[in-house]
Amino acid sequence: MGPDPSLAYRTECHEKDESEFRNFESGALFDRVFNTYKLMHTYQTLDFVKQKHLEWANCNYFSMTMMESIDSLDELVDESDPDVDFPNSFHAFQTAEGIRKEHPEKDWFQLVGLIHDIGKIMALHGEPQWAVVGDTFPVGCKFQNSSAFGIYEPQCGLDNVLMSWGHDGNEFAAVTNEHSSCSILEYLYRVMKFNKCTIPEEGLYMIRFHSFYPWHSNGDYMHLCSEKDLQMLPWVKEFNKFDLYTKSTELPDVEHLRPYYQSLIDKYCPGILHW
Ligand SMILES: [Fe+2]
Ligand SMILES: [Fe+2]
């Protein structure tokens, strides 16, 4: 593993020293985090991921507005996160507000901050947390081994890589060939496409790969990347600094913020969506 490139981006943090984020070796939440990742790396196989793609492919589990789905994350505490022990809905607003401060003109980016973790809603609809939360990684090749291709071709593009099943956006990829070229869609990305949301491609890319820490923060899996992946990487990194360093036990006043974010939802992903 290389050094974490996002170190260079770290913004000011009021409560916690920035080097203390993503501590997976100790801390109050260590046991919970460790167990979630242990289950994930035990059960997230190629077959498991293909099965999940089939199950969630048609966005016919439930229907609700984007704001209702954010509110439903009040019920969810992410068991893989060593930095957060409060409901995920607050993390949604914290991330969005951090982006709004530095990118006041990019309303679509703020909205991505708000909705990026909404795929975690699957944990409220029967999926275990190890199949929903936490960092993602390609299946079908060795974990974090920069020379291993497994079932993939060099520079095949992340579009063609089957990621562990999680809350990020994999397009449905009819898994066409056992040995290569799967066409794939991460969950939330699929929901956005299915519902014809108009967030720009950079934003959808942030949604799709924000949990792929081995790639965007550790520089691994570059041998699978296409030109387009490399062009999009700076956007994913820019997003990551807000996703990570806005986590704070100082919770935002959601009711005060709601009207502004409702206006962004109305602009980019209005009405009742299919999940
Ligand atoms: Fe996430
Ligand atoms: Fe997040």
Side-chain angles (χ1 to χ4, degrees):
M1 267 199 252
D4 179 349
S6 68
L7 287 169
Y9 294 126
R10 293 188 176 186
T11 51
E12 50 184 294
C13 171
H14 302 291
E15 290 197 341
K16 189 159 152 175
D17 188 272
E18 290 157 2
S19 63
E20 293 175 59
F21 285 90
R22 283 178 64 82
N23 174 359
F24 290 103
E25 283 163 10
S26 59
L29 302 175
F30 174 79
D31 286 342
R32 184 168 85 187
V33 173
F34 181 86
N35 284 330
T36 306
Y37 274 99
K38 189 175 175 196
L39 290 166
M40 180 196 297
H41 282 267
T42 304
Y43 295 115
Q44 289 255 12
T45 61
L46 189 60
D47 285 344
F48 174 82
V49 171
K50 286 179 181 176
Q51 179 59 34
K52 288 297 150 193
H53 277 283
L54 292 175
E55 286 173 23
W56 289 89
N58 298 320
C59 298
N60 58 1
Y61 266 68
F62 49 94
S63 303
M64 58 170 72
T65 67
M66 189 58 94
M67 195 58 95
E68 286 169 342
S69 66
I70 290 164
D71 288 341
S72 72
L73 293 181
D74 285 348
E75 308 298 316
L76 184 86
V77 176
D78 182 333
E79 295 175 0
S80 72
D81 194 332
D83 299 309
V84 170
D85 196 23
F86 49 80
N88 224 256
S89 47
F90 291 110
H91 167 59
F93 283 96
Q94 285 176 337
T95 309
E97 283 291 285
I99 294 169
R100 189 176 171 191
K101 246 187 245 164
E102 274 197 47
H103 297 277
E105 76 299 346
K106 289 194 179 65
D107 62 352
W108 60 266
F109 192 3
Q110 300 158 22
L111 182 62
V112 166
L114 186 74
I115 70 175
H116 73 284
D117 273 344
I118 282 195
K120 291 179 186 176
I121 203 168
M122 287 186 291
L124 303 175
H125 293 267
E127 294 293 351
Q129 287 229 358
W130 56 262
V132 172
V133 300
D135 297 359
T136 55
F137 54 91
V139 294
C141 63
K142 276 188 183 165
F143 179 63
Q144 266 183 332
N145 182 324
S146 56
S147 62
F149 289 99
I151 63 173
Y152 305 111
E153 303 289 333
Q155 270 69 53
C156 60
L158 297 180
D159 270 344
N160 294 309
V161 169
L162 205 53
M163 302 295 294
S164 57
W165 187 248
H167 61 281
D168 289 17
N170 273 347
E171 289 170 38
F172 180 57
V175 177
T176 50
N177 177 326
E178 290 247 320
H179 300 293
S180 67
S181 92
C182 315
S183 160
I184 300 149
L185 299 178
E186 296 79 13
Y187 177 64
L188 180 54
Y189 181 69
R190 179 201 313 259
V191 169
M192 303 309 283
K193 288 282 189 188
F194 187 92
N195 289 286
K196 303 194 174 14
C197 299
T198 53
I199 290 171
E201 183 63 21
E202 299 89 315
L204 294 178
Y205 223 83
M206 296 169 186
I207 287 172
R208 281 186 87 171
F209 296 112
H210 76 270
S211 298
F212 191 9
Y213 272 84
W215 175 57
H216 65 64
S217 290
N218 292 341
D220 222 319
Y221 298 103
M222 291 299 175
H223 59 302
L224 300 179
C225 289
S226 64
E227 270 305 308
K228 183 188 167 196
D229 297 325
L230 299 180
Q231 278 166 16
M232 290 289 163
L233 180 56
W235 286 102
V236 179
K237 285 174 179 285
E238 178 64 11
F239 174 79
N240 178 248
K241 71 182 190 187
F242 302 104
D243 189 10
L244 186 52
Y245 301 118
T246 60
K247 288 173 180 172
S248 159
T249 50
E250 204 175 298
L251 300 180
D253 179 352
V254 169
E255 288 317 310
H256 175 71
L257 298 173
R258 197 182 285 276
Y260 175 71
Y261 288 100
Q262 184 62 54
S263 75
L264 302 190
I265 290 171
D266 292 342
K267 180 172 173 184
Y268 290 102
C269 41
I272 294 174
L273 308 180
H274 303 287
W275 301 80

